[in-house]
Amino acid sequence: SSVKVSAPAQRRISGAAMAMMGQPTHFGSVAFDEPTGYTPYGKQPEPYSTMVRASGKFVDAHVPYRADDISTPMEEVKTGTTILAMTFDGGVVMGADSRTSTGRYVANRASRKISKVHDRIYVCRSGSAADTQALTAIVKNVIGQQALEIGSLPKVGMAANLFRKMCYQYKDNLLAGVIIGGYDPVGGGQVYQVTLGGTLMKDHYAVSGSGSTYILGLIDNLYKPGMSKDECRELVKKFIAHAMKRDCSSGGCIRTTTISKDGVEIDFTPGDQLPVDPL
């Protein structure tokens, strides 16, 4: 036969057990099955879920992490890159290094950071590779459908605004900074930049990534509107090579994509043939 224990007796037994473990015996209005953080007797304890969200230092109720615990929350992984786009007389040259880094580890030394959105629209991607690849796939799908409906090349500004809308709407969940470049019959060669927070900017050139801070002054000094296609492409390679020399998160080879009314030209420069000798 089973023994029935009254509710007050259950509370006394639970309180005695908790006291033996050195835990507070105050119950208040907190449910018995919800673990709580340690608080002085007589004070309403804070729910365990709130305690974990606030500190992130507890494995379970009243069980803090050790300093050498392998389950200690990891720091955010640092990433880096150098991407660049510049307009010339009749089109756009886009360039990027090829190193994909995960903290101090080089995950891919020959990755492609320039992705096709449409026949005359491309995007340089920086930030989280997964986030930017997903964004590019969505925009590519929408732009492709729109091109079929209107029966002509889509505008570069439309693709840029789609990137801007999603980067802004999901800015708390995405790590994505992109540069959109392309050519359309209405606006000619155009360059747009969407920052991490979703801000859209149009300019003659745009640069982003961890290596951009090393070459901003160089670009301001050497860039000039109305350059020829070959002159612009060589200048883009020079800028990216300088960034690769200074930024340890940028490296590998240089990939460039030249977009104009005549079509798209893709160029590759190996790491041992850079315009600037690497360190």
Side-chain angles (χ1 to χ4, degrees):
S1 61
S2 59
V3 178
K4 295 183 179 181
V5 182
S6 62
Q10 290 180 2
R11 286 196 292 270
R12 288 195 296 273
I13 294 173
S14 300
M18 294 178 68
M20 291 176 63
M21 294 185 293
Q23 306 301 336
T25 57
H26 172 70
F27 293 97
S29 59
V30 179
F32 296 109
D33 57 351
E34 180 181 11
T36 58
Y38 180 82
T39 51
Y41 180 80
K43 182 179 179 181
Q44 180 68 32
E46 189 176 6
Y48 172 61
S49 57
T50 303
M51 178 184 66
V52 171
R53 287 197 299 269
S55 66
K57 298 295 184 181
F58 287 78
V59 181
D60 203 346
H62 321 300
V63 184
Y65 278 109
R66 300 192 314 270
D68 60 342
D69 199 314
I70 60 173
S71 298
T72 301
M74 296 177 62
E75 295 182 359
E76 181 181 356
V77 176
K78 303 296 190 300
T79 59
T81 187
T82 301
I83 55 176
L84 172 65
M86 298 173 60
T87 59
F88 63 90
D89 186 16
V92 174
V93 175
M94 308 180 74
D97 71 308
S98 64
R99 176 174 293 178
T100 299
S101 58
T102 307
R104 296 184 179 90
Y105 177 73
V106 178
N108 190 343
R109 61 187 179 89
S111 62
R112 296 180 180 271
K113 302 178 183 180
I114 307 175
S115 301
K116 182 179 179 179
V117 178
H118 202 262
D119 293 345
R120 297 291 191 279
I121 304 175
Y122 282 72
V123 60
C124 290
R125 302 178 291 106
S126 67
S128 167
D131 292 349
T132 54
Q133 286 173 355
L135 287 174
T136 302
I138 296 171
V139 174
K140 183 177 181 179
N141 181 45
V142 175
I143 288 294
Q145 294 183 33
Q146 192 255 2
L148 289 175
E149 292 177 359
I150 64 177
S152 63
L153 290 175
K155 294 182 180 179
V156 182
M158 172 172 283
N161 271 289
L162 285 173
F163 276 105
R164 186 270 313 163
K165 181 178 180 180
M166 287 187 291
C167 287
Y168 180 79
Q169 185 174 358
Y170 302 105
K171 58 186 176 182
D172 294 332
N173 306 103
L174 295 176
L175 181 63
V178 296
I179 297 175
I180 303 94
Y183 175 90
D184 63 59
V186 177
Q190 302 159 66
V191 171
Y192 295 86
Q193 181 175 8
V194 179
T195 63
L196 294 177
T199 300
L200 177 64
M201 298 176 289
K202 181 182 180 182
D203 207 339
H204 293 295
Y205 64 85
V207 59
S208 184
S210 59
S212 63
T213 56
Y214 298 97
I215 56 174
L216 282 171
L218 187 63
I219 297 175
D220 289 339
N221 185 43
L222 297 181
Y223 174 80
K224 55 182 183 292
M227 292 185 293
S228 66
K229 178 174 65 177
D230 294 336
E231 185 181 8
C232 184
R233 181 160 49 204
E234 293 305 314
L235 203 56
V236 167
K237 291 181 182 180
K238 181 177 181 178
F239 292 150
I240 296 176
H242 272 283
M244 291 165 61
K245 181 178 180 180
R246 295 294 183 183
D247 178 31
C248 63
S249 295
S250 302
C253 58
I254 297 177
R255 302 182 190 273
T256 61
T257 301
T258 305
I259 312 165
S260 66
K261 64 178 181 179
D262 299 325
V264 178
E265 302 174 21
I266 297 177
D267 183 71
F268 170 81
T269 304
D272 57 352
Q273 300 178 18
L274 300 179
V276 179
D277 293 332
L279 292 175

